[in-house]
Amino acid sequence: MKMIPEEWSKLSFAYYPTNYNVRCYYRDGKWGNVEISSSENIIMHISATALHYGQEIFEGLKAFRGQDGKIRIFRWQNNWERMNFSARGILVPEVPKEIFEDSITKVITLNKEFIPPYGTGASLYIRPLLIGTGAKLGVAPADEFLFMIFVSPVGPYFPTGFKCVDVKIERNVDRAATLGTGQFKIGGNYAASLVSGRQAYDEGFKMALYLDAKEKKYIDECGPANFFGIKNNTYITPDSSSILQSITNMSLRTLAKEAGLKVEQRKMPVEELSELEEAGACGTAAVITPIKSIHDKEQGKIYTYGNEPGEWSVKLYRKLQSIQFGDESDKYGWITEL
Ligand code: PLP
Ligand code: COI
């Protein structure tokens, strides 16, 4: 039994140990039973494909504690679908829905005491992992796999919370190729972003904004999040073959439409940054992170959007969070109450 954080509202986005995680093994062509573990370690073959050939998929979603004390999981079915989309992308067996559901229910229930109380702004981050554990030396998919979920109570991804950040356009590194693996949530994409992410951070920026790998004309991914902008009562977000299909972005498009905005998912030329009234990054960890400036060093341009979050970013942030925390009823079927 480990300590429970006393100061939930001070949590950052960092690993915090909990009591249990769950695991399910794939052997001889079939998935086994969901097992409960209190160990934070896994034992793996030295030649496992996850270690050598990148057969590693992960997901990220959250559970929230409401004012009524209830626990609400946000859109887990979409994470399950996306995990299996990634699985098809790198020759990993898909996880049946019942196993995903059983695992997520078990891991949250077993770690209930780690779900931050309502009003602290914190939530329970849920991290499913699906990896190749079978040994191969030649480049090939494994025969054995492991699906796991662990959880961690978290605060905001950026310690400043819902505050505007500075972003840097990255013109010297591609996070993912146009016809590559950018749509899959696999470790390799994140490895590809580490150097540029660190460099951006060292230069005083919170995120690197990547451009399309082929032409360097269009906006692609924004750090560990999707990009969106607001102009002329329109919510605009990039359509690209090399970005993750963000579930947060999907939700924001629905909420934006309902709030009376037009919604456009299309290629966004870099020059369009000068026309935006608001800009932001969105994702499970980032929620909405409003952007105050985007620096395009190579082109000698700085796009600015003000020091305070824009009107629509605030509205959409509040709306999304009030559904997630259960302040507002969920008419979309996004919430699973535990
Ligand atoms: N893009 C990248 C690269 C991410 O890592 C994430 C986080 O999951 C997102 C976008 C946002 O996706 P979601 O809203 O499903 O969390
Ligand atoms: C998420 O938002 O869930 C992410 O995966 C972002 C990052 C922590 C990788």
Side-chain angles (χ1 to χ4, degrees):
M1 181 83 171
K2 285 150 192 138
M3 283 262 300
I4 298 172
E6 282 167 32
E7 297 186 80
W8 299 97
S9 50
K10 294 203 180 117
L11 280 174
S12 62
F13 192 89
Y15 180 81
Y16 192 94
T18 59
N19 287 342
Y20 302 100
N21 54 76
V22 293
R23 301 153 184 226
C24 184
Y25 292 89
Y26 179 93
R27 292 186 184 117
D28 301 321
K30 53 183 189 299
W31 288 102
N33 296 322
V34 176
E35 300 168 18
I36 297 164
S37 172
S38 57
S39 168
E40 290 170 282
N41 302 311
I42 51 173
I43 292 175
M44 222 190 318
H45 195 283
I46 199 168
S47 198
T49 62
L51 300 177
H52 297 259
Y53 303 129
Q55 278 199 304
E56 188 277 340
I57 297 163
F58 70 98
E59 270 301 332
L61 64 158
K62 280 177 176 170
F64 301 83
R65 175 90 67 183
Q67 200 160 13
D68 54 10
K70 286 185 184 163
I71 300 160
R72 293 175 174 81
I73 317 170
F74 189 67
R75 300 192 80 163
W76 69 264
Q77 296 89 342
N78 294 87
N79 291 88
W80 165 71
E81 278 168 8
R82 189 172 66 188
M83 192 179 77
N84 282 342
F85 173 70
S86 301
R88 294 192 292 277
I90 59 165
L91 295 184
V92 168
E94 295 181 39
V95 173
K97 193 171 187 179
E98 312 76 64
I99 290 181
F100 194 94
E101 185 171 18
D102 185 26
S103 302
I104 206 164
T105 308
K106 278 201 172 99
V107 76
I108 298 173
T109 310
L110 289 162
N111 292 298
K112 258 187 187 160
E113 66 209 87
F114 295 96
I115 306 175
Y118 178 83
T120 59
S123 55
L124 189 75
Y125 187 72
I126 303 162
R127 175 53 70 84
L129 273 168
L130 174 55
I131 62 171
T133 47
K136 291 282 171 193
L137 196 54
V139 179
D143 302 317
E144 295 190 358
F145 296 84
L146 172 57
F147 168 61
M148 295 164 273
I149 310 185
F150 69 82
V151 296
S152 179
V154 294
Y157 193 69
F158 297 109
T160 43
F162 187 61
K163 292 269 163 57
C164 293
V165 299
D166 299 307
V167 168
K168 171 198 170 182
I169 292 186
E170 174 57 69
R171 287 186 177 273
N172 302 311
V173 174
D174 294 320
R175 173 191 167 272
T178 308
L179 300 177
T181 56
Q183 289 203 11
F184 307 132
K185 200 162 169 65
I186 59 176
N189 295 331
Y190 296 82
S193 73
L194 288 177
V195 168
S196 48
R198 169 62 63 87
Q199 200 176 338
Y201 189 81
D202 288 346
E203 291 170 12
F205 302 100
K206 286 285 186 286
M207 283 178 283
L209 182 59
Y210 299 95
L211 304 182
D212 79 281
K214 198 171 176 183
E215 298 183 87
K216 291 275 185 286
K217 270 168 80 171
Y218 304 102
I219 296 166
D220 220 54
E221 200 73 289
C222 190
N226 275 183
F227 180 82
F228 74 91
I230 307 278
K231 93 171 172 192
N232 300 334
N233 283 314
T234 310
Y235 177 101
I236 310 160
T237 192
D239 185 19
S240 160
S241 61
S242 47
I243 63 173
L244 197 72
Q245 297 302 310
S246 157
I247 295 157
T248 311
N249 195 351
M250 224 185 275
S251 311
L252 293 177
R253 294 200 294 273
T254 301
L255 298 178
K257 212 176 276 177
E258 217 177 68
L261 290 176
K262 276 193 279 169
V263 171
E264 293 177 5
Q265 191 178 13
R266 57 163 169 80
K267 289 188 172 192
M268 282 187 86
V270 181
E271 303 77 59
E272 197 173 359
L273 290 176
S274 65
E275 297 165 16
L276 298 179
E277 294 146 20
E278 298 176 35
C282 64
T284 297
V287 194
I288 284 180
T289 300
I291 295 173
K292 71 173 170 237
S293 73
I294 301 177
H295 297 235
D296 192 348
K297 285 191 171 177
E298 279 79 3
Q299 302 287 310
K301 287 195 178 133
I302 301 177
Y303 305 94
T304 52
Y305 306 103
N307 289 333
E308 295 303 320
E311 176 196 344
W312 281 106
S313 300
V314 172
K315 268 191 202 163
L316 291 170
Y317 177 88
R318 287 204 183 128
K319 183 83 183 171
L320 178 67
Q321 292 261 281
S322 67
I323 295 166
Q324 292 177 324
F325 281 103
D327 296 333
E328 242 179 80
S329 64
D330 163 39
K331 60 178 183 183
Y332 314 93
W334 292 345
I335 299 291
T336 303
E337 282 183 14
L338 206 66

